[in-house]
Amino acid sequence: MKFSIVSDSSCDIPPELIQRWGIHIVPFYVSFDGETYRREGRDISAEEFYQTLVDRPGCYPKTSMPTLYDYGAAFSGPVKKGLPVLCLCLNAAFSGACQTAANAAALMQEEFPGSKIHVMDSQLVTVLQGLLVHQAVRLRDQNLTLEEAVPRLEALRETGRIFFTTNDLDYLSHGGRIGKAAAATGTVLQLKPMIEYRDCGLHSAGLVRGRKKSLQRCLELFREYVEREHIDLSDYTVTTGYGYDHAEYAAFNEQAAALLRDLGHTWERMGDFHISVTIGVHTGPHPIGIGLLRRA
């Protein structure tokens, strides 16, 4: 292994894959009362986070980014072993975590002159960030150096897309993503927002009436994108992500698998990706969607 990999908990990677891939995850923090902050994936699991949202309707949690100490602790182990470090951070447009990681890297390099720590803005969020980490793992395991891996990973960032929806407009309204009047009207009409992640940002992909239709529309948007861009799915990794309802997620995965078969692709799922608190605080307990990223 020629370099070590660090990321933050916004990448949604399941715990079993974190262990299998041999990577270090720095936690974001979440608070339900504005005072007590718990570390995502350590003090509070994804299941506990979404269960709390379901049990406490009208509660709007807040997140806080990892600290200098958190990143420093993640960097110190490999640095002391003489290993270069690659740190893949949440889209810098969404959080100051990337800058905090860069500051921690600078401090570490002052303490350990000659150490190599490359902090990369993934320009991605949630499962796409996780897929970029997966590509970093693949390159590391192919025995590439840090210098060889970085440009190949940078070239992948613009290939990421997510198509997702959520069931509750109140959280989007509370976060300022949509107006209160629009949220109230949408709730009465059972309108569900369709959201696409591309070009480093979240974009509206329309409204659909009813949860079932919105889930179908996610997959339709995915198909339309693949066919419009003439994408060869054998060059990509596809994954799905969700919040609270695992039964709904399982059914969605079955539909996604059928769609991929129809597109001539055999889907090898990596695991169940829980959408992180950094997105969940804005979507509420029921985000669900599908994403893809080109392989290195």
Side-chain angles (χ1 to χ4, degrees):
M1 186 170 70
K2 292 189 175 179
F3 63 92
S4 181
I5 299 170
V6 174
S7 192
D8 51 59
S9 61
S10 61
C11 67
D12 300 359
I13 298 171
E16 62 273 15
L17 291 183
I18 292 171
Q19 183 175 7
R20 186 188 310 167
W21 293 349
I23 59 178
H24 191 101
I25 298 297
V26 177
F28 270 77
Y29 294 76
V30 64
S31 175
F32 290 93
D33 59 12
E35 296 180 2
T36 303
Y37 280 83
R38 291 186 279 176
R39 296 171 298 174
E40 180 180 19
R42 299 186 187 180
D43 304 322
I44 183 170
S45 67
E47 291 86 354
E48 290 169 330
F49 168 73
Y50 283 108
Q51 186 65 58
T52 302
L53 291 185
V54 169
D55 293 342
R56 297 172 60 182
C59 173
Y60 300 102
K62 298 179 180 180
T63 59
S64 179
M65 64 188 181
T67 66
L68 274 172
Y69 174 83
D70 293 328
Y71 282 112
F75 298 156
S76 64
V79 163
K80 290 177 181 178
K81 295 177 182 177
L83 271 177
V85 178
L86 172 64
C87 181
L88 295 165
C89 295
L90 172 65
N91 183 351
F94 281 45
S95 168
C98 192
Q99 185 59 56
T100 300
N103 293 342
L107 291 173
M108 186 65 60
Q109 288 166 328
E110 285 183 13
E111 184 177 356
F112 297 93
S115 60
K116 293 182 181 179
I117 304 173
H118 184 89
V119 176
M120 182 190 297
D121 175 5
S122 74
Q123 301 180 0
L124 301 170
V125 296
T126 182
V127 298
L128 294 184
Q129 183 183 344
L131 293 183
L132 189 65
V133 172
H134 177 233
Q135 293 309 304
V137 169
R138 291 181 69 242
L139 295 177
R140 179 202 66 189
D141 292 351
Q142 291 169 20
N143 216 30
L144 270 69
T145 65
L146 179 62
E147 291 78 10
E148 291 169 333
V150 165
R152 294 181 63 173
L153 293 169
E154 288 176 338
L156 299 181
R157 295 179 296 188
E158 65 180 16
T159 70
R161 292 290 189 281
I162 299 175
F163 305 94
F164 76 101
T165 188
T166 186
N167 199 43
D168 193 335
L169 294 171
D170 289 342
Y171 290 87
L172 292 172
S173 174
H174 185 80
R177 302 291 179 178
I178 60 173
K180 291 184 178 180
T185 301
T187 299
V188 171
L189 296 177
Q190 294 189 328
L191 296 178
K192 311 301 178 186
M194 306 307 304
I195 304 169
E196 179 180 357
Y197 183 87
R198 57 178 168 79
D199 304 325
C200 299
L202 297 171
H203 301 269
S204 173
L207 294 168
V208 176
R209 191 166 187 175
R211 177 68 166 178
K212 185 176 180 179
K213 289 183 178 179
S214 71
L215 298 180
Q216 293 173 345
R217 184 59 182 151
C218 275
L219 299 176
E220 290 171 2
L221 288 168
F222 177 90
R223 175 194 282 273
E224 290 168 7
Y225 173 71
V226 168
E227 293 179 340
R228 182 175 67 248
E229 300 298 324
H230 306 289
I231 285 175
D232 182 351
L233 287 173
S234 64
D235 295 330
Y236 284 71
T237 302
V238 177
T239 194
T240 55
Y242 79 113
Y244 171 72
D245 192 335
H246 190 271
E248 180 182 62
Y249 180 57
F252 182 78
N253 280 330
E254 289 181 5
Q255 294 172 343
L259 168 62
L260 291 169
R261 285 195 299 271
D262 192 44
L263 290 170
H265 180 66
T266 301
W267 188 25
E268 297 179 5
R269 287 188 62 236
M270 288 188 287
D272 291 347
F273 281 67
H274 263 112
I275 294 172
S276 66
V277 302
T278 56
I279 296 295
V281 295
H282 299 292
T283 63
H286 298 289
I288 193 167
I290 185 170
L292 76 168
L293 185 80
R294 186 164 55 83
R295 294 193 183 98

